[in-house]
Amino acid sequence: MTTGSVELRPRSTGEIFALAFDLYRRHFPLFFSISSVILLPALLLGAMSSIATLAGVVMGLAGPSGDALDLPAQEASSAGLIFISFISNCIPALIWLLGIFWPWAEGALAFNVIERILGRAPGLRASYGQTRRQWGSLWIANLLAQIGINLPLIVVYLVLLGGLMVALAIPVFGVFGADVFAGVSSIALVATAALCAPLVIGAVVVSVVLAINWAFRTPAIVGEGVDGLQGLSRSVAIARGSRGLIFWRYILLFLLEFVVSAVPALIVGSVVLIGVLSLQQGTPPGNITLDVTVLPGLIAVSIVLIAVSVIGALLLTPFRIVFTTLNYLDLRIRKENLPVLLAKAAARTPEAPAAAAPAAPSPSAVHAPGASPASSQLAPGLPQPSTSWQAVDLAKLTPGQRVGVLFNRIRAEGESAQTLKELAQALKEVGDWGGALDSLTRARAIAPDDPDLAYNLMVLYRERRDMTAARRMMEEYLRLETDPKALAAVRDNPRFKDLLPE
């Protein structure tokens, strides 16, 4: 079964990566924009925090050296340290605040990928608008998943930290002649280590299994319309029986991310460090010694590494979400025969508002067996049974519901200027202005002499701040409109005075 340009069939690991790369390449500006709305400010704040910490270290190293500072210099240095301390403490709070919105950004991008696989093309505003009501569910699911995944790792960290402190304490106490471990036999230490090893391994395994089980919580929530707890349980159900496949796919993703981010950072950092230090000391790279005089080189390397890290995160994070969403769809195709579910949903024509989708629906949402029938929604891009579309009262549907119905009407009956105009209005109401513009443009190609289409295009161009196109459509409307009252209303409207020809 094919939806849009993507065939809904099980795919191998290589095909999943190939499809992810293709979608990422073709829609990179949009995917990048959706994720960067939240990710870019958070990364920049993190970079500022790192630079502030680095500045504090530099001031601490440079301050004591040289002659004693006079009073103004001491006051300036103290003020600088206070400012750096303030920034270092405030930025984490801002990053935490932005983190509240990050699950919404993940959901918006996952929603966009699902819609494109199903033949739709929502923009940035539509992606966020259609997932706005699911923000709470996304946040709760993400919070619970992060707690569950990281709690075993915290236990591992504490065990390893305790072991490291004991290992360091043995020689330290030995230097001062206080061998507090003299009464502890080596067998007891080995036994303790042997007991801790299974705990560490078990905690890591538990974290990995939980990460695999809950990997698909975000696409499940935005793709099926479930709440946070149901999203976690749906993710577990989808992953069950395929954990080995998911594990190896994400190992390959991790290796890819390492090659793309860590390797360039190491190369660039090494080159900058060697270059800066060589220029500063005038010695061959092999004779460089690390002392206070090479501090500018270390600062340059740190800033370069921070920049490379930010760029890598901006580029890799959208790809990871695309990859996860495609795996979610692939597993649903394998386990639940998703194409059949989509076909059944597409064949379900709403006869009354009670049988239609809920408010602000996701046209891509096709629920798993057992979901509430009231939340079933139409999927675009699928053949529809012969039926009377006039039985559906569009005025009683939400904008999102009208989009689904009108898409299916076009699939069944073909394009008409009136249907495309109604679709443009519904798309505009859900925030997909790009789709609305495309629909109106196609409608005008069918009915070039319709003044109402020219008027709607003029209004849409004006709202998009494309004043040149808006003036062109105003001229077309004035040329085509024959109703004197309508012309007078437009000419007297203060909103359009800057568009009227002089």
Side-chain angles (χ1 to χ4, degrees):
M1 176 181 177
T2 301
T3 305
S5 60
V6 179
E7 183 180 1
L8 294 180
R9 59 174 178 81
R11 282 179 163 79
S12 65
T13 299
E15 289 175 322
I16 289 291
F17 273 98
L19 181 57
F21 279 121
D22 182 61
L23 287 173
Y24 186 71
R25 175 185 57 83
R26 289 191 289 115
H27 308 294
F28 173 76
L30 177 61
F31 291 170
F32 181 84
S33 300
I34 293 174
S35 62
S36 295
V37 168
I38 307 299
L39 185 61
L40 181 58
L43 289 175
L44 291 179
L45 286 172
M48 290 174 58
S49 178
S50 299
I51 293 174
T53 302
L54 179 64
V57 172
V58 171
M59 294 180 67
L61 291 175
S65 62
D67 299 332
L69 299 176
D70 55 15
L71 183 59
Q74 291 179 359
E75 293 177 349
S77 178
S78 300
L81 289 173
I82 293 173
F83 176 75
I84 290 172
S85 177
F86 175 78
I87 293 296
S88 299
N89 287 288
C90 288
I91 287 180
L94 294 175
I95 295 176
W96 181 86
L97 182 62
L98 284 172
I100 297 176
F101 296 93
W102 173 243
W104 186 10
E106 282 188 302
L109 182 49
F111 169 83
N112 193 283
V113 174
I114 293 174
E115 292 291 271
R116 291 185 181 280
I117 294 297
L118 296 179
R120 295 279 306 281
L124 185 148
R125 291 184 57 177
S127 298
Y128 274 98
Q130 292 280 54
T131 55
R132 183 180 65 252
R133 296 190 178 185
Q134 296 166 315
W135 171 27
S137 298
L138 291 166
W139 187 82
I140 291 173
N142 184 72
L143 175 65
L144 295 176
Q146 294 301 326
I147 292 174
I149 293 170
N150 289 303
L151 191 58
L153 297 178
I154 294 174
V155 173
V156 171
Y157 171 78
L158 294 176
V159 170
L160 294 178
L161 181 62
L164 179 62
M165 292 178 64
V166 170
L168 293 176
I170 293 175
V172 170
F173 281 110
V175 169
F176 293 97
D179 193 357
V180 296
F181 299 97
V184 181
S185 66
S186 57
I187 297 178
L189 293 176
V190 172
T192 303
L195 291 175
C196 290
L199 175 64
V200 171
I201 296 173
V204 172
V205 170
V206 169
S207 291
V208 172
V209 171
L210 290 178
I212 292 174
N213 282 342
W214 294 333
F216 309 114
R217 60 188 183 275
T218 296
I221 290 172
V222 299
E224 302 177 34
V226 296
D227 61 27
L229 293 177
Q230 291 173 333
L232 292 173
S233 62
R234 278 292 296 143
S235 181
V236 173
I238 292 169
R240 186 179 295 117
S242 303
R243 294 185 181 92
L245 176 64
I246 300 168
F247 175 77
W248 289 113
R249 284 183 176 180
Y250 276 90
I251 287 294
L252 293 176
L253 177 65
F254 170 77
L255 294 175
L256 173 66
E257 292 179 341
F258 177 80
V259 171
V260 173
S261 61
V263 173
L266 292 174
I267 295 174
V268 172
S270 300
V271 171
V272 173
L273 176 61
I274 294 174
V276 171
L277 299 184
S278 298
L279 290 175
Q280 183 176 349
Q281 290 192 337
T283 59
N287 296 331
I288 293 175
T289 59
L290 296 179
D291 53 25
V292 177
T293 62
V294 300
L295 197 56
L298 297 177
I299 296 172
V301 172
S302 299
I303 293 176
V304 169
L305 291 178
I306 291 171
V308 172
S309 175
V310 170
I311 294 172
L314 287 173
L315 295 177
L316 291 173
T317 301
F319 181 81
R320 189 183 308 122
I321 298 172
V322 173
F323 179 79
T324 298
T325 306
L326 292 180
N327 276 280
Y328 159 80
L329 293 173
D330 181 65
L331 291 174
R332 287 199 65 188
I333 292 170
R334 293 170 181 267
K335 298 169 68 69
E336 300 173 354
N337 203 353
L338 181 60
V340 174
L341 294 177
L342 286 169
K344 289 180 179 179
R348 198 179 294 124
T349 303
E351 298 296 337
S362 165
S364 67
V366 180
H367 294 260
S372 172
S375 62
S376 299
Q377 300 172 359
L378 295 174
L382 296 167
Q384 299 298 306
S386 177
T387 183
S388 174
W389 291 105
Q390 284 69 26
V392 180
D393 187 356
L394 295 178
K396 295 182 179 180
L397 302 180
T398 65
Q401 292 170 341
R402 294 204 305 274
V403 169
V405 172
L406 292 169
F407 258 108
N408 286 285
R409 176 182 293 181
I410 290 172
R411 297 293 182 183
E413 301 178 354
E415 294 184 346
S416 68
Q418 180 62 30
T419 304
L420 287 170
K421 182 165 63 175
E422 293 174 349
L423 177 60
Q425 181 61 33
L427 288 171
K428 183 180 176 183
E429 290 180 26
V430 301
D432 189 357
W433 287 16
L437 178 60
D438 177 69
S439 296
L440 287 175
T441 303
R442 285 154 53 196
R444 195 159 190 271
I446 298 173
D449 296 330
D450 187 343
D452 192 37
L453 292 175
Y455 174 83
N456 281 281
L457 275 170
M458 180 265 294
V459 172
L460 186 57
Y461 278 128
R462 186 181 185 280
E463 292 176 346
R464 290 169 61 93
R465 301 293 189 271
D466 188 350
M467 306 308 290
T468 301
R471 292 188 183 95
R472 185 176 68 251
M473 283 299 106
M474 173 63 83
E475 293 176 358
E476 286 293 301
Y477 171 74
L478 295 177
R479 180 178 66 84
L480 296 172
E481 183 61 74
T482 57
D483 185 352
K485 293 183 179 179
L487 284 172
V490 171
R491 292 182 184 277
D492 296 338
N493 193 328
R495 290 175 54 203
F496 304 138
K497 285 190 176 180
D498 56 340
L499 302 179
L500 292 170
E502 298 180 357

